[in-house]
Amino acid sequence: MLASMTPVEPADPPDPQPPYPAPEPAPAPPPRSWGGRVAALAIVAFTGVTAPFLLIRSGHLDTAALFVGVPLALAVIIALSPPAKSLHGLTFRVVTFGLLITSAFLHEGAACVLMASPLVYGVGHLVAEVVRQARRLDERRRAALAVVPLLLLASLEGTAYRVDPVQTVTTERVVAMSPQQVEQSLQRGPDFSARRPFLLRFSGYPTPTASSGDGLAVGTRWTFTMAGGPIVTEVSARDSQRIEFKVVSDQSKTQRWLSWQRAVVRLTPQADGDTAVKLELSFTRRLDPSWYFGPIESAMVGAGLDHFADSLGLRAE
């Protein structure tokens, strides 16, 4: 009877069952791979920008290699490359196509396109980044768009205004020659078989290949054979330490980028019998903006002036 009065412990309640299975966590998105995209963009840039320049060097600019082959290669590369998922990717492709089309119509001027391509890409991506940031920011911080009017103002250089278009490049060497020997070397004329500096070889910048003239008397003319046509100069002034040349006519390809003004040779005797020879070359730059093309043209002309000094046998000790 006592046993019958023992309390019975209640059974544990059953575990509650969820009405539906818990959702599995979403898989993490795969990390974005930039290697393939960067490689594809590099190939596109090389094909679209440098191909016309290489065709110029090989003498095949007016062939189907430019008008069919290059667009075909570029289209295949772009079609097989990852799709543009950003404003920068779209900007890159549009700019590349624009440079390619411009190169096709400019012919020899494609060298200018190649030289200007970093500037064109830079401006395009700068504007793309400003627009991208402006879309993400509130009204208070959209002042970044002020850079666009500044770029528009900068784009007027060369049309509404110019900045320091006349440039002068110099090179100076002390040679183991008397002033009279230097003048004799000048009268013989340059020998352009000397090896050109690397910058000129890499860029394909045209330099004289031959010259003809007789003497250094005032009024004497010297003709320099260039790609596209000759450059004719004339001795305009001379004294014991200075010979000045002016440009009479210029039919060379370099007139696309600059207009030659004058050249001056200065001879300074040294105490030890050597001579300090200073060559000055002045030109008017035809490419703008000045902050970009000014240093580039100075470097090219400076390399050409060094080559000219080597061709005269004026090598520093």
Side-chain angles (χ1 to χ4, degrees):
M1 183 176 181
L2 292 174
S4 62
M5 297 179 61
T6 302
V8 180
E9 296 181 0
D12 294 335
D15 294 335
Q17 296 294 327
Y20 49 86
E24 297 181 358
R32 178 177 294 181
S33 175
W34 290 97
R37 184 168 300 175
V38 171
L41 293 180
I43 295 174
V44 170
F46 177 82
T47 304
V49 179
T50 65
F53 176 73
L54 296 177
L55 291 174
I56 293 174
R57 299 292 302 274
S58 62
H60 297 92
L61 187 62
D62 293 320
T63 66
L66 175 66
F67 301 107
V68 178
V70 174
L72 173 63
L74 192 62
V76 170
I77 293 171
I78 291 180
L80 297 179
S81 64
K85 297 182 179 180
S86 67
L87 187 58
H88 283 286
L90 178 61
T91 299
F92 181 90
R93 296 189 178 196
V94 171
V95 170
T96 300
F97 270 114
L99 289 175
L100 174 63
I101 295 173
T102 302
S103 300
F105 283 98
L106 285 181
H107 286 222
E108 290 85 354
C112 295
V113 176
L114 177 65
M115 186 167 54
S117 59
L119 175 63
V120 177
Y121 279 115
V123 172
H125 283 287
L126 174 62
V127 174
E129 181 62 21
V130 169
V131 172
R132 189 180 73 88
Q133 293 293 336
R135 289 175 177 175
R136 300 172 55 186
L137 301 177
D138 54 29
E139 294 292 340
R140 181 177 60 85
R141 300 180 62 186
R142 289 190 178 180
L145 288 176
V147 71
V148 176
L150 294 179
L151 289 176
L152 292 176
L153 179 62
S155 68
L156 296 178
E157 184 177 352
T159 55
Y161 64 94
R162 301 210 68 193
V163 178
D164 298 330
V166 179
Q167 300 179 211
T168 300
V169 176
T170 64
T171 185
E172 187 169 1
R173 302 180 179 186
V174 177
V175 297
M177 304 167 65
S178 66
Q180 292 75 21
Q181 290 175 318
V182 174
E183 288 189 4
Q184 291 174 2
S185 178
L186 294 174
Q187 291 177 0
R188 288 193 300 267
D191 177 11
F192 293 113
S193 62
R195 183 174 175 82
R196 301 199 310 165
F198 171 77
L199 181 61
L200 300 180
R201 300 196 309 271
F202 173 77
S203 63
Y205 199 87
T207 54
T209 57
S211 65
S212 61
D214 184 19
L216 298 175
V218 174
T220 302
R221 292 192 173 186
W222 283 81
T223 301
F224 297 91
T225 303
M226 295 277 292
I231 297 177
V232 180
T233 66
E234 181 180 292
V235 179
S236 57
R238 180 185 177 184
D239 56 36
S240 60
Q241 295 187 359
R242 177 174 170 271
I243 306 171
E244 182 173 337
F245 299 81
K246 68 178 181 179
V247 176
V248 177
S249 64
D250 181 4
Q251 302 177 23
S252 68
K253 289 183 179 179
T254 58
Q255 63 177 324
R256 294 177 179 270
W257 314 305
L258 53 85
S259 174
W260 301 109
Q261 298 298 319
R262 66 169 190 160
V264 180
V265 181
R266 302 183 187 275
L267 309 177
T268 305
Q270 305 295 294
D272 57 0
D274 294 346
T275 303
V277 183
K278 184 177 183 180
L279 306 179
E280 300 179 5
L281 196 55
S282 300
F283 61 92
T284 300
R285 188 189 67 255
R286 290 184 171 176
L287 300 178
D288 290 303
S290 57
W291 57 266
Y292 183 82
F293 288 108
I296 291 177
E297 292 203 12
S298 290
M300 294 293 185
V301 174
L305 196 57
D306 285 333
H307 175 58
F308 188 80
D310 291 342
S311 301
L312 288 170
L314 303 177
R315 299 183 181 272
E317 295 181 339

